[in-house]
Structure formats: C-alpha cells, structure tokens
C-alpha cells in the first residue's frame, strides 16, 4: 500500500507549553492507522513531546528540523545527531530551503548531515526544490538532480534504507502558492528517476517522496492521488491542531 506520511514542520514556533497543548489535542483524535504522523518541533520541545507521546501511547514520530554536520566539538550554538537522538528524535529534516538560503547550507554540508543522522539511526528527511527563477529558466530538473546527487552521491542504497525525500519548491513555501498536483507529480517523477539511476528501480520504489509548500487540507485529496506523492511536509498549516488534523483526515 502507498505510504501517507504527514509531517509538521513547526519552524521557530511554539514554547514547550504550547507544544504540549498541541499534542494533548492530537491525543483526543483517532489517528488513522493508514497514515503516519510526524512532528518536528523546536529542539527545546523534542524531549518534552517524546516523553508525552510515550505516556499517551501515541503513534507519532517526533523529530528535528536540523542537525550539525559534525559529530561533536567546538561549534557554539549547534546540536549534534547524538544529542537529538538522545532527546528522542527519530527523524531529522535536512537541507530545508530556509537552511539552504538563509544559513547558506551547501550540498556538501547536507551530505555530511545525512551521514550524521544515519550514524544515529535517525531517518533523514532530505528536502530539495527549485526557486521561482530556476523554474522560469526551465532548469528545475537539473537543480533537483544536483541537489539529489550532491546530498546522496557518496552513499550506498544499503546506507539509505530509511531515506525520505521531500520536494519543496522554494516558490511555494510560505507563499500560499501551492504547486498543482501535476507540477508536483512531475517533479516527484524527476526525483524518482534520479534515485533510480543512482540506486536502481527496486530501491527507489521504497523511498517515500513528500510534497511541501503551502499545503492545506483542501489540496490533500488531489495531491495524494498522484502516484509518486507519498505524503506532505506542512509548515504554516501544521501550527494549529484543527488545521493539521484536517490535513491528516483528508
Ligand atoms: P509552508 O511550509 O507549508 O508554510 O509553506 C512548508 C515547509 O517549509 O516545509
């Protein structure tokens, strides 16, 4: 059966108290067993939510929004994969466009971050996506290939058994301008083709590719009907329990 992974990326929102209140609301909901719900809060809420999730027996994965590319050392203000895993993170978002553009993360750095996540047995959720200009110039396919190859080129398929990829067109993130299901599906096919060229068809079939960028409940049905869309990464609409629950119950 096709996987349906729904990931909340809270970015720099919510105190511990607010994060806990959100999870309390989620606990009141019947989580559909066919859908996988993941939440990436701020670092400070990871252990709090993981503890609460265990106590409430909720089948939700708690993860992180970023990880440092080194395993430890003098990197003031940074956080390591071992520290995230210790806090209870089961997955980590890597190479989000906000990290690439605001904090100038390169593909080489992203590749190292994936290695760090894998070392700690956390699921790497690799984000790729083109800017508006790149799409207008007709280089979307090339950009996605660069990003996929740059991030994954040094790994074997055995290393990447848990890999999840998210297609996040930069022009759709936080803009309210969602990609049409056809545009998203076309980009997902490009990503799958690159993965297949690198790791073979059989492996590629097992890699979920999520769509992210202005996702709302209304867009879910048509997005999820596409063959190569295995879920969504949600920013703004994941902040309130009711809008997030509507997305889960599409
Ligand atoms: P958005 O963010 O849903 O607010 O567009 C998506 C993301 O950045 O992952």
């Amino acid at each position: 059966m096709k996987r349906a992974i729904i990931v909340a990326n809270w970015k720099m929102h919510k105190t511990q108290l607010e994060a806990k209140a959100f999870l309390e609301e989620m606990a009141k909901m019947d989580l559909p067993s066919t859908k996988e719900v993941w939440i990436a809060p701020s670092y400070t809420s990871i252990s709090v939510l993981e503890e609460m999730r265990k106590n409430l027996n909720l089948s939700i994965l708690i993860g992180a929004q970023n990880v440092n590319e080194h395993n430890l050392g003098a990197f003031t203000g940074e956080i390591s994969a071992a520290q995230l895993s210790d806090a209870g993170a089961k997955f980590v978002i890597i190479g989000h466009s906000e990290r690439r553009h605001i904090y100038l993360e390169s593909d080489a750095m992203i590749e190292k971050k994936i290695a760090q996540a894998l070392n700690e047995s956390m699921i790497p959720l690799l984000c790729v996506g083109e800017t508006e200009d790149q799409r207008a110039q007709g280089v979307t396919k090339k950009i996605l290939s660069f990003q996929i190859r740059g991030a994954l080129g040094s790994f074997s398929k055995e290393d990447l058994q848990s890999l999840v990829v998210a297609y996040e067109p930069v022009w759709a993130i936080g803009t309210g301008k969602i990609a049409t299901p056809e545009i998203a599906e076309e980009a997902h096919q490009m990503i799958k083709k690159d993965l297949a060229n690198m790791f073979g068809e059989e492996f590629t079939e097992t890699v979920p590719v999520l769509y992210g960028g202005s996702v709302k409940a209304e867009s879910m049905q048509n997005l999820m009907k596409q063959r190569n869309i295995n879920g969504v990464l949600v920013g703004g609409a994941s902040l309130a329990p009711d809008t997030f629950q509507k997305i889960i119950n599409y």
Side-chain angles (χ1 to χ4, degrees):
M1 205 177 69
K2 197 172 107 159
R3 286 174 77 178
I5 305 173
I6 296 156
V7 187
N9 172 14
W10 285 349
K11 310 193 178 183
M12 201 169 71
H13 294 279
K14 294 194 194 295
T15 60
Q16 292 183 4
L17 212 62
E18 288 162 347
K20 284 201 279 188
F22 184 101
L23 211 64
E24 249 159 48
E25 288 304 313
M26 293 295 292
K28 292 181 195 157
M29 167 188 188
D30 271 336
L31 282 172
S33 59
T34 51
K35 314 224 173 107
E36 298 169 59
V37 178
W38 300 8
I39 298 177
S42 295
Y43 300 137
T44 50
S45 291
I46 292 173
S47 61
V48 177
L49 289 192
E50 176 59 11
E51 198 54 36
M52 193 173 162
R53 184 204 67 75
K54 278 195 221 147
N55 292 337
L56 294 168
N57 201 18
L58 286 177
S59 62
I60 288 178
L61 287 195
I62 305 298
Q65 300 170 17
N66 182 30
V67 62
N68 188 263
E69 67 273 25
H70 302 280
N71 60 344
L72 54 84
F75 302 103
T76 301
E78 289 294 307
I79 195 157
S80 73
Q83 290 168 329
L84 292 173
S85 172
D86 182 46
K90 301 294 185 291
F91 71 94
V92 53
I93 298 173
I94 295 174
H96 187 280
S97 78
E98 284 150 22
R99 302 292 324 168
R100 291 178 189 261
H101 296 125
I102 307 172
Y103 300 100
L104 308 180
E105 288 189 4
S106 63
D107 289 317
M109 204 188 268
I110 288 164
E111 180 178 47
K112 288 188 188 145
K113 291 182 178 219
I114 291 177
Q116 292 297 333
L118 293 172
N119 273 344
E120 290 297 329
S121 305
M122 286 188 291
I123 300 167
L125 200 181
L126 168 66
C127 300
V128 296
E130 81 288 2
T131 64
E132 193 157 33
D133 277 355
Q134 289 164 339
R135 176 159 284 271
Q137 287 161 20
V139 294
T140 298
K141 189 166 183 287
K142 208 163 119 192
I143 294 298
L144 295 178
S145 270
F146 270 144
Q147 292 177 346
I148 292 281
R149 282 173 193 277
L152 304 175
S154 67
F155 298 101
S156 69
K157 63 181 172 205
E158 287 73 25
D159 296 329
L160 297 173
Q161 291 300 315
S162 65
L163 174 72
V164 177
V165 178
Y167 168 60
E168 296 219 309
V170 180
W171 47 270
I173 298 177
T175 58
K177 245 201 277 176
I178 187 169
T180 62
E182 293 73 28
I183 287 180
E185 172 66 12
E186 188 189 33
H188 284 223
Q189 282 172 12
M190 292 171 187
I191 291 167
K192 289 266 182 175
K193 199 151 184 206
D194 279 321
L195 291 173
N197 286 337
M198 291 168 82
F199 305 110
E201 295 278 351
E202 203 182 326
F203 169 77
T204 302
E205 274 299 311
T206 69
V207 180
V209 183
L210 319 183
Y211 168 78
S214 297
V215 170
K216 304 263 177 316
E218 304 81 81
S219 18
M220 286 302 287
Q221 291 248 354
N222 285 334
L223 281 174
M224 293 304 292
K225 264 189 216 147
Q226 307 300 315
R227 187 182 181 283
N228 291 292
I229 300 185
N230 305 102
V232 287
L233 179 47
V234 193
S238 74
L239 291 173
D242 60 334
T243 51
F244 190 54
Q245 288 178 2
K246 281 192 192 124
I247 288 174
I248 296 170
N249 285 325
Y250 65 87

